[in-house]
Amino acid sequence: MRPSRSLLPLLLLLPLASASLEDVKDVQLSVHNDNVSDLQRNNFVPGSSKKLTEHLLGQHNMNAPPDGILDVHYEMELVHILGIDELKQTMTALVYVDEKWQDPSLSWNPEEFGGLTKTWLPMHRIWLPDIIIFNMLHHEDLLSKVRAPAMIYANGTVECSHPAVYTVSCEINIKHFPLDDQRCSLEIASWAYNEEKIRLHAHIEHSLEHYSPNEEWRLLNVTVHEQDYEHEGILVSEIRYDISVRRKPLFYMVTLTFPSYVMCAISVVGLYARFSTTGEREERFTLGVTAILTMAVLSLVVSEKVPHSSTSVPLLVAYFLFNMVVVSLAAMMTGLVMRVHRMGRHGDEPPRWALSLFLLTPRSHKDVRGNCWQTTFGDQLIFEQKCVENGGTASRKVQLLEAFVRKLIDVCENTQNELDDVGHEDVRRTVRMRHEANGFVRISERLDWIFMLFFLVLVTVPVVVLFALM
């Protein structure tokens, strides 16, 4: 019988399935053979690690230091500057500490323990040197709740590594705040052992390998010095890590310096702007006092940030005090300008040398239109008067007098009409023009420009210098 058409696909897939099963067996066998080769290559002996740990803890005394002079290789890697507190004068930093020394009581023969060349032992079960940071105020061991082991090599080399957060005392120099550079030191030494027992050797191969920048402080450099330090009459070996940083002043320049400059500039312009011609400008003093109070408030904000020191004044506080003095002088000079302005209210004129001193020329104050009308009317009045006197008979004189009176009435009516046509605005304009032409008023205007430019330059130069030093 011939097979049905539905079985033909199954018959065709049987060779492929058998081939795939053989491939899977080959892969499993190859992986097993690789693992076996790795075990053979490592020469793994079951129980050798336990045997080695028991051997080392049996021959090692955690209370006894190694014999002779112990050379401790110390390396501190700076990871991150958490912050600098100017008021408390402290620096907090995250570091990785690596210590290496040699302890003969923790050495072994690798051939006796399955070829093991290194192992790990708990830190609390072995002897550790009492190396601390002398100027430390607070210490937080990040592995205090973790069973962190120490790495032990067959030749007796012990390596202990751990991360920690240290808060150290640091002398803060606020003279150039916020354009200041600070240097904080970490003084590392043994507390009890002198240099005849423990000698420290610094390593800086990986001191900045994992460093992450701080938002406020820019790291300049890290220097390491090996020196001797006398502690309670004992000369000990010491390592000093000097961390130099520079403040990023953008925050203080934008939030304090620039607003202070804008306030001072607006105050100076407001004090000497020609917004009034009457001489009654007492509101200038109010503006000046407001600016001075604003400077005082900003200086209080800065004083809360920096240490309360009497040795030096911070640069930013000195800048605010300078602005207060400048605005105060500008307000006082406004009184002088107002005094000169008032001297010309009643039409008094200054001497020629005063006008020449401010590069001004005298002006004429004659009202041309009024003088011409007064001359024409006077000439006509004299002419009519002579005609009446020389008129001859009485009737002729009466006629001439009547004509003169009618002309006088016409002239008065025309004058009234002209005054009505002029209006109050023209009268005020004319009075203002006469007032502005006064010599004392022109001198006060020139003083306004001189003082405004002078004090604007005086408050602009310091802020430009501060931004240039950023």
Side-chain angles (χ1 to χ4, degrees):
M1 295 179 61
R2 299 176 63 183
S4 61
R5 294 182 177 180
S6 61
L7 296 177
L8 288 176
L10 296 176
L11 294 176
L12 294 174
L13 293 174
L14 285 177
L16 297 175
S18 62
S20 62
L21 290 175
E22 291 178 358
D23 294 339
V24 171
K25 290 180 180 179
D26 294 339
V27 172
Q28 291 178 352
L29 289 175
S30 63
V31 172
H32 178 70
N33 291 333
D34 291 340
N35 293 334
V36 172
S37 62
D38 290 341
L39 290 176
Q40 292 176 355
R41 186 163 55 249
N42 292 333
N43 294 324
F44 176 77
V45 178
S48 58
S49 179
K50 178 181 178 181
K51 180 180 178 182
L52 176 59
T53 300
E54 294 176 350
H55 169 73
L56 293 178
L57 294 179
Q59 71 176 7
H60 176 72
N61 186 356
M62 60 178 297
N63 296 318
D67 297 332
I69 299 176
L70 183 63
D71 293 324
V72 179
H73 300 271
Y74 191 94
E75 180 177 6
M76 177 178 289
E77 180 181 353
L78 180 63
V79 179
H80 185 64
I81 298 176
L82 299 179
I84 295 179
D85 193 335
E86 291 87 351
L87 290 178
K88 297 181 180 179
Q89 301 197 30
T90 59
M91 182 190 72
T92 304
L94 172 63
V95 297
Y96 293 162
V97 178
D98 185 78
E99 303 174 13
K100 290 182 182 180
W101 67 92
Q102 203 162 19
D103 192 341
S105 62
L106 293 175
S107 60
W108 70 91
N109 186 2
E111 297 179 355
E112 298 178 359
F113 298 94
L116 293 178
T117 58
K118 62 181 178 181
T119 186
W120 291 265
L121 294 178
M123 288 187 182
H124 64 278
R125 299 293 301 273
I126 62 175
W127 179 87
L128 299 174
D130 60 341
I131 298 177
I132 64 170
I133 298 179
F134 270 57
N135 59 336
M136 174 183 63
L137 299 178
H138 179 71
H139 168 238
E140 182 180 358
D141 190 358
L142 301 181
L143 298 181
S144 58
K145 297 182 180 180
V146 181
R147 293 179 298 176
M151 184 180 293
I152 314 296
Y153 293 90
N155 60 355
T157 301
V158 183
E159 181 176 359
C160 294
S161 301
H162 64 277
V165 175
Y166 290 106
T167 300
V168 298
S169 60
C170 182
E171 184 179 357
I172 303 297
N173 185 7
I174 62 172
K175 183 178 182 180
H176 300 96
F177 175 86
L179 304 175
D180 53 335
D181 296 345
Q182 304 296 339
R183 187 179 68 177
C184 297
S185 301
L186 284 79
E187 302 170 358
I188 302 166
S190 173
W191 180 261
Y193 298 101
N194 57 12
E195 64 174 358
E196 297 178 356
K197 182 61 182 177
I198 292 182
R199 293 179 180 176
L200 296 179
H201 303 279
H203 291 266
I204 56 174
E205 290 83 0
H206 310 285
S207 59
L208 297 174
E209 184 176 352
H210 299 92
Y211 177 75
S212 60
N214 185 273
E215 291 294 332
E216 185 179 358
W217 298 92
R218 181 170 70 253
L219 181 65
L220 297 180
N221 55 57
V222 177
T223 56
V224 183
H225 304 277
E226 295 182 8
Q227 59 187 16
D228 295 331
Y229 175 75
E230 186 175 355
H231 169 61
E232 295 183 354
I234 301 176
L235 193 63
V236 297
S237 178
E238 182 190 56
I239 298 176
R240 191 179 79 248
Y241 281 81
D242 293 331
I243 302 175
S244 299
V245 293
R246 176 172 295 171
R247 191 190 304 272
K248 300 176 182 179
L250 181 61
F251 172 78
Y252 300 97
M253 302 298 288
V254 172
T255 59
L256 294 176
T257 305
F258 187 72
S260 173
Y261 167 71
V262 171
M263 177 62 65
C264 289
I266 293 176
S267 301
V268 171
V269 173
L271 286 172
Y272 295 104
R274 302 297 298 179
F275 54 83
S276 174
T277 59
T278 62
E280 303 294 339
R281 296 182 286 184
E282 288 81 4
E283 59 270 16
R284 291 183 172 193
F285 292 100
T286 305
L287 181 61
V289 172
T290 304
I292 295 172
L293 292 177
T294 304
M295 297 301 104
V297 172
L298 292 177
S299 63
L300 288 177
V301 174
V302 178
S303 63
E304 294 178 357
K305 177 66 177 176
V306 297
H308 300 164
S309 174
S310 299
T311 58
S312 59
V313 179
L315 180 62
L316 193 57
V317 176
Y319 170 72
F320 288 146
L321 295 177
F322 174 77
N323 286 344
M324 293 173 62
V325 173
V326 169
V327 175
S328 301
L329 291 177
M332 288 187 290
M333 290 297 103
T334 305
L336 175 63
V337 177
M338 292 176 61
R339 176 62 179 171
V340 175
H341 193 282
R342 286 174 178 269
M343 292 174 66
R345 294 182 61 184
H346 303 290
D348 298 334
E349 290 293 334
R352 282 184 169 271
W353 64 267
L355 294 174
S356 302
L357 182 63
F358 293 95
L359 304 178
L360 297 173
T361 57
R363 290 183 182 179
S364 176
H365 302 282
K366 294 182 179 180
D367 188 351
V368 179
R369 180 178 177 182
N371 292 337
C372 292
W373 176 84
Q374 184 179 2
T375 303
T376 302
F377 180 74
D379 293 340
Q380 186 177 5
L381 180 60
I382 294 172
F383 176 75
E384 295 293 339
Q385 183 180 1
K386 290 181 179 180
C387 292
V388 172
E389 293 177 353
N390 300 325
T393 62
S395 59
R396 180 59 178 171
K397 291 182 179 180
V398 172
Q399 292 176 0
L400 293 175
L401 183 60
E402 291 178 355
F404 174 73
V405 171
R406 285 194 298 269
K407 290 181 180 180
L408 183 60
I409 294 173
D410 293 337
V411 171
C412 292
E413 290 178 355
N414 294 332
T415 304
Q416 182 65 36
N417 294 331
E418 291 180 0
L419 292 177
D420 294 338
D421 294 338
V422 171
H424 298 287
E425 293 296 332
D426 293 338
V427 173
R428 283 196 295 268
R429 188 182 302 111
T430 303
V431 173
R432 185 172 66 251
M433 292 176 61
R434 291 181 178 179
H435 181 74
E436 291 179 353
N438 183 268
F440 285 109
V441 175
R442 294 164 60 199
I443 291 176
S444 66
E445 292 178 357
R446 192 60 58 89
L447 287 174
D448 278 334
W449 279 104
I450 294 174
F451 285 140
M452 183 175 66
L453 294 177
F454 173 73
F455 287 113
L456 276 179
V457 171
L458 206 59
V459 300
T460 303
V461 170
V463 73
V464 172
V465 173
L466 289 178
F467 274 97
L469 294 177
M470 286 181 57

